[in-house]
Amino acid sequence: MTTAARIAWPCCAVTLLLVALSVVLAVLDGTDPRTLSHLLFVVASALAGGLIGSRRPEHAVGRLLALSGFCFALMEACGQYAIFGLVTRPGLPLAQALAWPQTWLWVPANLSLALIPLIFPSGRLSSPRLRPPVRAVAVAAVLTMAVSALRPGENHQVGTDTGVVNPLGVAGLARVAPAMETAMTALMAAVFVAGGVDLLVRALRSGEPERRQIKWLAYVVGLLVLVVAARLAAGLTDGFPDTIWPVTSSLWELPGALGTALVPAAICVAILRHRLFDIDLVINRTLVYALLSGCVTGGYVAVVGYLGAIFPTGDLPVSVLAAGLVALVFAPLRERLQSWVNLLTYGERDDPYAALTRLGRRLENTGEPGSVLAGVARSVAEALRLPYAAVETAAGSRHAFGAAVGDPVRLPLTHSGERVGDLILSPRPGESGFGPRDLRVLTDLARQVAVAVHAVRLSADLRRSRERLVMAREEERRRLRRDLHDGLGPTLAALTMRAEAVHDLVEEEHARRLLADIVGDAEAAVTDVRTLVDGLRPPALDSLGLLGALRAHATRQPPGLRVTVHAPDGLPPLPAATEVAAYRIAAEALANVRRHAAATGAELRVEVARGTLRLEVSDDGGGIGPSGGGGTRPDEPGSGRTGVGLASMRERALELGGTFTVEERPEGGTLVRVTLPAHEGEDARGPDLAG
């Protein structure tokens, strides 16, 4: 155990003894004990500092709480003793000397609290850039302490009109000290507000564990704000315009003291035991009962006031009637409020139909089969307010939404007796599992999710079958072209040459005419074969290869358009379908640039990486706006029309399992991006989405 951990509880004990001494001295001084309710906050700070210091001695928040509690307790004890020894029973030893510490102890006591939001909940500053301002505030605090320690006259930190003056006061600081104290108070308030803003920003950007810790502090601060608002309302309506706080009853001090005392308690729980209770459940119940209390109280006051105006003769019957009317609406009101708060906290677990409807709409609005399961996971997470939901297929592919927290729960997905995957869910923060109502909704959702997984798998099987058919078709076309070009074509050409040779040797006119007809038919057959060969597959692909064909096509552009080709020196063997699709898409994209983009330059990029052929065509034209080239821009909003060239390129890419996108470049112009499988049977979009 470290030294800091060993002294944590002794320091806490000293602070508590000082608080007890302050209470005793205040009672002996004739002070109303109810006016000392602020010491509850000091006790809570000391206990929280002791707990954090003994468990997490390296945590700076525990040290600041312990320091603040000790300074407040010492200031109160010294001030009460000075009053007791100088006013109540004059002549006690050290009474005059102990009137001095209370003049400056308020600075470290309050500054320690002001710095806590900057380092909560980790115990460290959120950014190194905050260190210089914090050091500057610390220097200003030391200077203010020095000046306040020499401030002349009576001090009001412990009480007003006590007659106790600073024994070390310097008359020359009578004007300087109040100004510096006011400035230091404003500076500490600014530090506290800045820390609160920084804490709010970190809560929005942080992960779930830190956000849960911040929720504890935010919850208690919210309660404290309500208490302060209630005190303010009571003070503004008590008939004393000189003060905004209630003066007719000191009982209002107790709720304020309890509210402030809960802040160190919440900090302690957030740092040491933020997983012990479900903060969301606590907030849920607090919202319900706060709203109920407000509605019931307001309803009772309204009914009593209304009935009192109608029946002014007796108070008891009116009160009984008002209580009965409020009781009649209490039960349905509670149910409605509970349902509303449950919807905020737990989502649609109390309304399975709404959850199923949300899932159905998500499935209807999802166009791409590959994104269906990701949409399903998101719908389940949003419907039940879960931090994480994932759909895992039987093949092992996972489609998740959110970040996994704790130990996720697996629910099997079955369709027609076959297990098609699992629904993986993380319980809400603070919950170890799912209750009966959650499981009932999840069971209904799991049936629909299983149907979606099965449908996606069938869609994937159909897509793979189509891709194999396209691949096989192009491979067969390549084989036919090779056979026709290398076999039938040369044979017909040889027959033509032989017929021409015989024609020259024969002198009989009838035979020469027959041979001339044979030569003509053979030449026509050769022409037909060449036409057929060129129609099966672009000739340049077999003669030049894909890269050579693309470079040759790029050089055939009109003079006003310069096309630059970026490609490696060579490509691995590619499927015939991939070569044809890449060539046709590049040719169509360059044609669109030439016809519609009004561009002066274009770039064609080709590369093969991780089993995928990537093709990009970009230009410096007018982009994809209304004037940016009709053939390359996507569907215009509301038009419902797509260019023929765009549809053709997209269809060529998708039928092979590839991807096709068209977007506007930030610097201007259009970018066409295509991915195609570089190996037969592989999907350019990555692993199988459906299993």
Side-chain angles (χ1 to χ4, degrees), residues 416-682:
S416 300
E418 177 188 3
R419 185 165 182 170
V420 295
D422 294 293
L423 185 60
I424 306 173
L425 308 165
S426 287
R428 302 177 191 89
E431 297 181 356
S432 58
F434 294 102
R437 287 184 291 179
D438 286 322
L439 292 176
R440 184 167 58 252
V441 177
L442 289 173
T443 301
D444 295 335
L445 289 174
R447 298 192 188 99
Q448 308 305 319
V449 174
V451 174
V453 172
H454 181 67
V456 170
R457 186 175 67 176
L458 293 179
S459 176
D461 292 340
L462 179 61
R463 174 178 53 80
R464 285 194 297 269
S465 298
R466 183 187 63 182
E467 294 166 8
R468 285 194 292 267
L469 287 174
V470 174
M471 289 287 189
R473 181 193 68 191
E474 293 301 327
E475 290 295 337
E476 185 64 18
R477 284 185 172 185
R478 178 157 63 178
R479 186 190 66 80
L480 287 173
R481 185 185 188 284
R482 183 173 58 248
D483 292 344
L484 292 174
H485 184 273
D486 299 339
L488 183 58
T491 300
L492 291 174
L495 289 175
T496 303
M497 294 175 63
R498 290 178 183 178
E500 289 177 346
V502 174
H503 178 273
D504 294 337
L505 296 175
V506 176
E507 296 181 356
E508 185 181 354
E509 188 63 26
H510 181 67
R512 291 174 63 88
R513 285 197 301 270
L514 290 176
L515 289 172
D517 292 339
I518 292 175
V519 170
D521 292 341
E523 290 177 347
V526 170
T527 302
D528 292 340
V529 169
R530 288 176 179 173
T531 303
L532 180 61
V533 166
D534 293 343
L536 288 173
R537 179 177 165 87
L541 292 178
D542 288 329
S543 59
L544 302 176
L546 178 59
L547 289 181
L550 291 176
R551 289 191 176 101
H553 186 79
T555 59
R556 293 196 297 267
Q557 302 304 315
L561 178 63
R562 180 177 51 85
V563 179
T564 305
V565 179
H566 302 276
D569 295 334
L571 295 176
L574 298 173
T578 298
E579 290 183 339
V580 173
Y583 182 78
R584 299 291 191 193
I585 291 173
E588 182 64 33
L590 290 175
N592 286 336
V593 172
R594 184 176 64 253
R595 298 168 185 167
H596 308 290
T600 59
E603 292 186 358
L604 172 61
R605 296 181 180 272
V606 182
E607 64 175 355
V608 176
R610 292 177 295 181
T612 300
L613 173 68
R614 303 182 185 276
L615 179 72
E616 292 184 359
V617 179
S618 58
D619 63 72
D620 58 1
I624 60 176
S627 62
T632 58
R633 66 175 181 264
D635 301 353
E636 296 180 4
S639 66
R641 295 181 288 106
T642 302
V644 176
L646 181 64
S648 174
M649 289 187 285
R650 178 181 289 111
E651 182 180 354
R652 288 183 183 276
L654 296 183
E655 70 178 0
L656 296 181
T659 62
F660 176 83
T661 58
V662 182
E663 60 188 38
E664 187 171 355
R665 302 169 62 196
E667 62 273 22
T670 305
L671 173 63
V672 176
R673 183 181 289 112
V674 181
T675 61
L676 298 169
H679 299 288
E680 191 170 354
E682 289 199 16

Side-chain angles (χ1 to χ4, degrees), residues 330-407:
F330 178 80
L333 178 62
R334 182 188 183 282
E335 292 179 359
R336 287 184 175 274
L337 288 175
Q338 183 69 65
S339 175
W340 177 70
V341 175
N342 281 347
L343 180 63
L344 293 178
T345 307
Y346 301 111
E348 296 163 342
R349 75 173 186 181
D350 294 332
D351 190 358
Y353 176 76
L356 292 173
T357 302
R358 176 192 294 268
L359 178 59
R361 289 176 179 172
R362 181 78 66 180
L363 293 176
E364 290 176 0
N365 296 330
T366 304
E368 292 293 332
S371 60
V372 168
L373 299 185
V376 168
R378 179 174 182 175
S379 295
V380 174
E382 291 177 348
L384 298 180
R385 298 292 193 271
L386 302 179
Y388 175 78
V391 178
E392 187 176 275
T393 66
S397 61
R398 180 177 293 191
H399 310 271
F401 177 79
V405 178
D407 190 12

Side-chain angles (χ1 to χ4, degrees), residues 10-20 42-43 45-46 66 69-71 73-74:
C11 291
C12 175
V14 171
T15 302
L16 296 180
L17 288 176
L18 289 174
V19 171
V42 178
V43 172
S45 298
F70 175 77
C71 291
L74 182 60

Side-chain angles (χ1 to χ4, degrees), residues 85-178:
L86 295 175
V87 178
T88 306
R89 294 185 182 179
L92 290 180
L94 300 178
Q96 186 67 39
L98 291 182
W100 175 70
Q102 63 168 320
T103 61
W104 55 270
L105 279 174
W106 65 274
V107 178
N110 288 282
L111 182 60
S112 300
L113 297 177
L115 292 175
I116 288 178
L118 287 173
I119 61 174
F120 179 83
S122 64
R124 301 180 301 274
L125 291 174
S126 60
S127 173
R129 292 178 296 180
L130 295 176
R131 293 174 184 171
V134 171
R135 293 194 185 103
V137 172
V139 172
V142 172
L143 295 177
T144 304
M145 289 169 58
V147 174
S148 296
L150 301 176
R151 176 180 178 176
E154 185 178 349
N155 185 272
H156 301 289
Q157 292 297 330
V158 175
T160 58
D161 300 328
T162 60
V164 178
V165 297
N166 184 5
L168 301 181
V170 177
L173 297 177
R175 293 185 178 181
V176 177

Side-chain angles (χ1 to χ4, degrees), residues 94-297:
L94 300 178
Q96 186 67 39
L98 291 182
W100 175 70
Q102 63 168 320
T103 61
W104 55 270
L105 279 174
W106 65 274
V107 178
N110 288 282
L111 182 60
S112 300
L113 297 177
L115 292 175
I116 288 178
L118 287 173
I119 61 174
F120 179 83
S122 64
R124 301 180 301 274
L125 291 174
S126 60
S127 173
R129 292 178 296 180
L130 295 176
R131 293 174 184 171
V134 171
R135 293 194 185 103
V137 172
V139 172
V142 172
L143 295 177
T144 304
M145 289 169 58
V147 174
S148 296
L150 301 176
R151 176 180 178 176
E154 185 178 349
N155 185 272
H156 301 289
Q157 292 297 330
V158 175
T160 58
D161 300 328
T162 60
V164 178
V165 297
N166 184 5
L168 301 181
V170 177
L173 297 177
R175 293 185 178 181
V176 177
M180 290 191 64
E181 290 175 354
T182 302
M184 189 63 206
T185 302
L187 181 60
M188 288 189 291
V191 170
F192 186 79
V193 172
V197 173
D198 180 68
L199 188 62
L200 178 60
V201 173
R202 283 185 282 125
L204 298 175
R205 297 178 178 176
S206 61
E208 186 58 35
E210 185 174 352
R211 189 178 294 116
R212 191 185 305 118
Q213 290 177 292
I214 296 174
K215 279 183 180 180
W216 277 101
L217 182 59
Y219 168 70
V220 173
V221 170
L223 293 180
L224 182 58
V225 169
L226 291 177
V227 172
V228 172
R231 290 185 62 203
L232 182 61
L236 294 176
T237 57
D238 61 357
F240 292 87
D242 295 337
T243 176
I244 61 174
W245 303 111
V247 297
T248 56
S249 175
S250 59
L251 292 177
W252 277 106
E253 297 294 330
L254 184 59
L258 291 175
T260 54
L262 287 176
V263 174
I267 294 175
C268 184
V269 172
I271 294 175
L272 301 179
R273 289 289 186 271
H274 64 273
R275 295 180 182 272
L276 182 60
F277 304 106
D278 181 8
I279 180 59
D280 292 324
L281 180 62
V282 174
I283 295 175
N284 179 300
R285 295 295 181 259
T286 303
L287 282 174
V288 171
Y289 291 116
L291 290 173
L292 280 176
S293 300
C295 292
V296 171
T297 303

